[in-house]
Amino acid sequence: FAEVLSQRLFCGTCPLSLLEAYTSFCGRMRPLPAWAHRGAIIGTQGGTAKVQSLLRKLEEQNTPISAVWLQDWVGRRKTGAGSQLWWSWELDRDCYPGWEALVSKLRANGVRMLTYLNPFLVDASRSRSLSRDLYSEAEKSGYFVTRQDDKPYPIGNTTFSASMMDLTNPDCRTWIKAFIKSNYLDVGSSGWMLDYAE
């Protein structure tokens, strides 16, 4: 901990002026792309059949949709808290069979596919079949936040631990960009919710 505390105060006449002052200091989010305003962004989960069923119901009601957001595209597992996502950042084709057809149908209707990501990885190699073991890659390359003994610092989450990718490491950031391209963009994701980005 530092012995000195620095702070910055912003003055304004209303919440909007305070927000403008703050974001002129820290940066402003880019405007959303035009497609995001064409309809609802539907958050759902549960596998291909459930998503297709929901989309049929929305289509019957002539609901304009700009995107479908699937948090569980990576699959789920049972934990002490119930059902939680696999943080291995790879499409679960058992949960989402026919993924390419689902994405193609959405695109044909002008609808984007959105997914989910956070800066943690779990070692799923002994629990599920992976085409690419990102955890082992990150561990071998030194891309995790580590303890003093240089081993990944385990962060408990319900009944499992995860390791946080070291976003201060430029090589790690380059590696993350590469797996986002292969595991997200190349399977049809137009964007993702980046969780734990507070």
Side-chain angles (χ1 to χ4, degrees):
F1 293 98
E3 295 181 14
V4 176
L5 173 66
S6 297
Q7 62 182 357
R8 185 174 302 265
L9 298 176
F10 299 97
C11 297
T13 58
C14 66
L16 179 59
S17 65
L18 288 170
L19 185 60
E20 287 175 340
Y22 175 70
T23 58
S24 70
F25 162 71
C26 71
R28 293 192 172 124
M29 185 176 96
R30 289 186 218 158
L32 292 174
W35 62 260
H37 301 284
R38 285 190 223 130
I41 296 176
I42 304 299
T44 187
Q45 53 191 3
T48 303
K50 185 173 178 185
V51 171
Q52 288 172 331
S53 173
L54 175 62
L55 290 172
R56 278 191 299 275
K57 290 175 186 174
L58 292 169
E59 190 175 321
E60 289 168 6
Q61 298 299 316
N62 297 313
T63 306
I65 302 172
S66 61
V68 172
W69 175 59
L70 299 178
Q71 176 178 295
D72 70 342
W73 73 285
V74 293
R76 295 183 155 278
R77 61 191 164 141
K78 298 289 181 203
T79 68
S83 175
Q84 291 181 275
L85 303 176
W86 277 109
W87 293 350
S88 53
W89 314 129
E90 181 173 292
L91 172 62
D92 185 331
R93 292 184 181 278
D94 292 331
C95 187
Y96 285 96
W99 174 267
E100 288 79 6
L102 176 62
V103 171
S104 292
K105 183 175 181 186
L106 291 174
R107 282 204 177 147
N109 292 318
V111 178
R112 306 286 183 120
M113 175 64 76
L114 304 175
T115 52
Y116 173 86
L117 174 65
N118 72 44
F120 295 95
L121 282 167
V122 296
D123 183 358
S125 61
R126 292 182 299 279
S127 304
R128 64 188 300 213
S129 176
L130 299 169
S131 64
R132 184 172 173 195
D133 185 353
L134 294 173
Y135 186 93
S136 293
E137 287 181 34
E139 187 173 30
K140 288 175 188 164
S141 298
Y143 293 159
F144 287 130
V145 173
T146 59
R147 303 181 305 200
Q148 289 181 342
D149 63 2
D150 291 328
K151 292 190 186 321
Y153 183 85
I155 297 173
N157 185 318
T158 66
T159 54
F160 69 93
S161 290
S163 297
M164 181 184 286
M165 292 178 269
D166 182 1
L167 302 177
T168 66
N169 179 334
D171 292 335
C172 179
R173 290 194 305 267
T174 299
W175 176 77
I176 290 169
K177 287 178 188 176
F179 87 67
I180 285 174
K181 182 179 183 320
S182 63
N183 289 22
Y184 285 75
L185 299 176
D186 289 354
V187 299
S189 181
S190 294
W192 45 91
M193 172 193 168
L194 180 57
D195 208 358
Y196 300 105
E198 294 80 17

